[in-house]
């Protein structure tokens, strides 16, 4: 997946879900559930199809989400 540092307007990534649209970088709040309840992660970088609404999590999104989740949720080791 391309990094958010790249200009997403020059890279056309077809949507795997609808096969009609192209993924675009967006920043949205992402909600997930943990054993403690719902967690909302603000300003999450996603690749989203404007045609069907499907979202894809790339490395940037995964890293952003892991930084905002409690340590017991993430299996990867976090280094600060």
């Amino acid at each position: 997946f391309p990094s958010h540092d790249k200009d997403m307007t020059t890279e056309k990534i077809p949507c795997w879900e609808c096969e009609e649209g192209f993924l675009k970088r967006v920043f949205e709040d992402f909600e997930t559930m943990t054993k403690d309840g719902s967690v909302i992660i603000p300003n999450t970088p996603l690749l989203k199809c404007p045609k069907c609404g499907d979202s894809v999590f790339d490395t940037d999104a995964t890293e952003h989400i892991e930084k905002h989740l409690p340590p017991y949720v993430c299996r990867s080791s976090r280094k600060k």
Side-chain angles (χ1 to χ4, degrees):
F1 291 108
S3 169
H4 70 274
D5 294 332
K6 293 183 180 179
D7 181 5
M8 290 296 296
T9 59
T10 59
E11 292 188 41
K12 294 214 176 214
I13 302 171
C15 176
W16 299 294
E17 187 66 30
C18 71
E19 299 180 352
E20 293 179 14
F22 291 92
L23 300 177
K24 295 189 183 254
R25 174 70 63 191
V26 297
F27 293 85
E28 295 182 351
D29 291 349
F30 172 72
E31 184 174 6
T32 189
M33 294 296 295
T34 70
K35 69 179 183 180
D36 296 327
S38 178
V39 176
I40 296 174
I41 301 168
N43 207 29
T44 303
L46 306 171
L47 296 174
K48 188 169 188 171
C49 176
K51 193 100 168 160
C52 72
D54 190 44
S55 295
V56 178
F57 299 93
D58 62 2
T59 303
D60 292 335
T62 303
E63 289 174 358
H64 181 80
I65 291 167
E66 285 184 349
K67 287 178 188 174
H68 289 83
L69 290 176
Y72 67 83
V73 174
C74 302
R75 291 186 181 161
S76 66
S77 61
R78 295 190 214 176
K79 297 180 182 174
K80 291 186 178 186

